[in-house]
Amino acid sequence: METKKSQAREFSSLFQLFKTQTSNLPQFFAYTGEDSYEFELIIDHYKEALSKSSGPYEIILIVSESGEQAKLFAELFTPDMFYPRKLIIVKQAAALFKPILDTKATQEWKDFASGFRKNITAVSDEIFLIVHYDGKDIPQSLVQLFQGTLNYYKTKFLYPSDYPKVFKEVCDQEQVHFEPNAADEFIHRIPANVGAYLKSVKKLKQYLHRSKFTIEDVNSVLFSQNELNTNVLVETLVQKRKVDFFKEFTKFNDQNSEILSFLTRLSYKLDEIRKIKVIRARHNGEVPIPIMDELLKTGSYSDARKNFVRRQLVSDSALFTDKTLDLFYDQVIEMNIKFKSGLRDEVGRNYFLQKIMHLFSLLQERSSN
């Protein structure tokens, strides 16, 4: 398999990597983001590409544990007469590379980094390395460590206007088709990232053994009554349906990903409410569809979905004053910081419930004024 050490670049999307010809697959590739499912898809892609080329290969897993840096160094730079072809997979890379990239690194780590930079451009073309850098951004020091040979992809924040495009890319990748109302439901309810979209589409294909899906398919396969639905949590919160909120919350599995997904969805919802209030203020209480399409990026929705969204947001916006909206935004930001910094388990659950009760009280104060 030919490699291109001198043509390292940033990939604009995962689909760009998936469509890259096997002969041009990057020898060193880093995925930057918190979605482990997306990284697993990259692993599968490399495995498939290596399997199609000649000869057996060995899979080496590197994780953030004591001594793993030395193992990585040995696997990359020491010739192996038994398994010359390797796929080296690095997980938890932020912690693994931290002592190497530290500006105040000890002399031992400085020597390690120097040796790494010196040897990386001479690594055998039969060795491939894929890295999950589990952080918000890829540090320039890591790129420099690879001496310009590291290709990478950084996950991007998706806005509502991006959802239809990403959804179409996933459908094209998986060669599937959704009926219009099924597509609307999928986009509205599945967490907005490539990994979640791909995982859900693959689940539909696996369970139904076909490539065309209806709204009944989407609801029956993807939205089990036993799985937490963050959209339901958001809707029941902003509509002050406290009993329904905590009924849905009983499905919570103590996973930070569920809370972070809820907070992301809530921030989108608050932004939609803010925009609807602006539209109504400028159009005598009305919400013209063309204006809504422009500001809320609903142009790709079906007419039925547009009218539903408009009615729902007009109703929801009546529950919020500008002050209440600002207070909600402040709480969402604070909670995001807390949970992204590692708050979890019973402490995280209690903190979350305390904040939710405060948000309900803010809405109650609005309705009692």
Side-chain angles (χ1 to χ4, degrees):
M1 189 183 296
E2 181 186 1
T3 56
K4 305 289 184 181
K5 288 192 180 76
S6 62
Q7 297 181 3
R9 69 187 190 280
E10 179 180 355
F11 281 64
S12 60
S13 74
L14 283 181
F15 303 106
Q16 185 181 5
L17 174 67
F18 296 154
K19 293 175 182 178
T20 300
Q21 294 182 351
T22 299
S23 60
N24 292 322
L25 203 61
Q27 182 177 14
F28 307 134
F29 187 86
Y31 166 82
T32 303
E34 299 178 347
D35 192 331
S36 59
Y37 182 77
E38 288 186 353
F39 185 64
E40 294 299 323
L41 292 174
I42 294 171
I43 293 174
D44 291 342
H45 183 67
Y46 268 80
K47 285 181 178 178
E48 183 178 356
L50 284 169
S51 296
K52 288 180 179 178
S53 57
S54 59
Y57 66 95
E58 183 181 15
I59 296 176
I60 308 295
L61 178 63
I62 307 289
V63 295
S64 179
E65 294 180 358
S66 177
E68 290 290 276
Q69 293 92 348
K71 179 181 177 182
L72 172 61
F73 198 98
E75 295 293 349
L76 273 173
F77 306 129
T78 305
D80 189 329
M81 61 182 297
F82 298 105
Y83 277 101
R85 302 179 73 232
K86 298 178 185 178
L87 174 61
I88 303 173
I89 301 167
V90 178
K91 297 185 176 182
Q92 305 164 1
L96 184 83
F97 284 101
K98 183 177 180 179
I100 304 170
L101 305 178
D102 192 340
T103 55
K104 299 180 180 179
T106 64
Q107 188 60 48
E108 179 183 0
W109 288 119
K110 289 180 179 178
D111 291 342
F112 183 101
S114 177
F116 195 101
R117 287 192 293 268
K118 179 181 179 181
N119 291 283
I120 193 64
T121 56
V123 172
S124 166
D125 288 350
E126 296 297 307
I127 295 176
F128 292 82
L129 172 70
I130 50 178
V131 174
H132 183 186
Y133 194 89
D134 44 335
K136 294 181 180 179
D137 201 356
I138 188 166
Q140 190 59 33
S141 54
L142 181 63
V143 177
Q144 293 170 351
L145 186 69
F146 279 80
Q147 296 289 284
T149 65
L150 183 66
N151 292 255
Y152 58 91
Y153 166 72
K154 298 187 292 185
T155 54
K156 299 172 178 62
F157 181 84
L158 297 181
Y159 293 93
S161 58
D162 300 320
Y163 302 169
K165 176 185 176 183
V166 174
F167 175 69
K168 184 179 184 303
E169 287 180 319
V170 169
C171 291
D172 291 344
Q173 174 74 22
E174 294 297 313
Q175 298 182 326
V176 298
H177 173 77
F178 286 72
E179 292 184 355
N181 57 351
D184 288 343
E185 189 73 1
F186 185 103
I187 293 171
H188 182 65
R189 296 182 66 179
I190 297 297
N193 63 71
V194 174
Y197 280 12
L198 280 167
K199 187 175 183 179
S200 298
V201 168
K202 288 177 181 292
K203 184 175 180 180
L204 283 167
K205 293 170 67 176
Q206 178 184 358
Y207 275 73
L208 301 175
H209 303 290
R210 47 189 165 84
S211 59
K212 295 183 178 180
F213 308 115
T214 65
I215 190 169
E216 290 78 17
D217 297 330
V218 170
N219 285 324
S220 63
V221 175
L222 300 182
F223 304 120
S224 166
Q225 296 301 310
N226 297 320
E227 295 179 1
L228 179 70
N229 188 326
T230 54
N231 289 298
V232 171
L233 287 184
V234 169
E235 297 301 326
T236 52
L237 171 61
V238 300
Q239 294 165 19
K240 299 190 302 181
R241 292 156 46 201
K242 189 181 296 185
V243 173
D244 291 333
F245 179 95
F246 287 106
K247 179 180 178 182
E248 184 67 24
F249 189 70
T250 59
K251 304 171 186 176
F252 177 59
N253 291 317
D254 289 322
Q255 295 180 5
N256 271 24
S257 60
E258 290 181 335
I259 289 181
L260 291 172
S261 175
F262 163 75
L263 293 173
T264 299
R265 284 292 182 181
L266 180 56
S267 65
Y268 291 163
K269 184 72 173 184
L270 296 175
D271 194 48
E272 290 174 343
I273 289 173
R274 179 182 61 80
K275 289 178 180 178
I276 284 292
K277 290 172 72 69
V278 170
I279 294 172
R280 296 189 72 197
R282 294 177 178 176
H283 296 274
N284 298 317
E286 298 297 322
V287 181
I289 289 293
I291 303 299
M292 186 178 78
D293 286 347
E294 179 182 353
L295 290 184
L296 272 71
K297 310 303 180 184
T298 54
S300 62
Y301 291 9
S302 65
D303 289 342
R305 172 66 75 178
K306 288 182 184 181
N307 288 323
F308 172 81
V309 168
R310 178 169 60 177
R311 289 193 303 269
Q312 190 66 63
L313 286 175
V314 168
S315 175
D316 293 342
S317 65
L319 301 173
F320 287 81
T321 63
D322 291 341
K323 180 180 178 181
T324 305
L325 265 178
D326 289 341
L327 291 171
F328 259 69
Y329 275 120
D330 290 343
Q331 293 300 306
V332 169
I333 292 171
E334 179 185 327
M335 293 169 75
N336 255 305
I337 293 172
K338 286 283 189 179
F339 284 101
K340 286 184 177 179
S341 66
L343 189 64
R344 60 182 68 242
D345 301 326
E346 192 64 25
V347 175
R349 181 188 181 93
N350 291 337
Y351 170 81
F352 179 79
L353 292 175
Q354 178 186 9
K355 290 298 182 182
I356 291 299
M357 292 302 295
H358 179 57
L359 294 178
F360 273 117
S361 69
L362 290 175
L363 291 172
Q364 191 60 42
E365 289 173 10
R366 157 65 174 158
S367 61
S368 61
N369 288 338

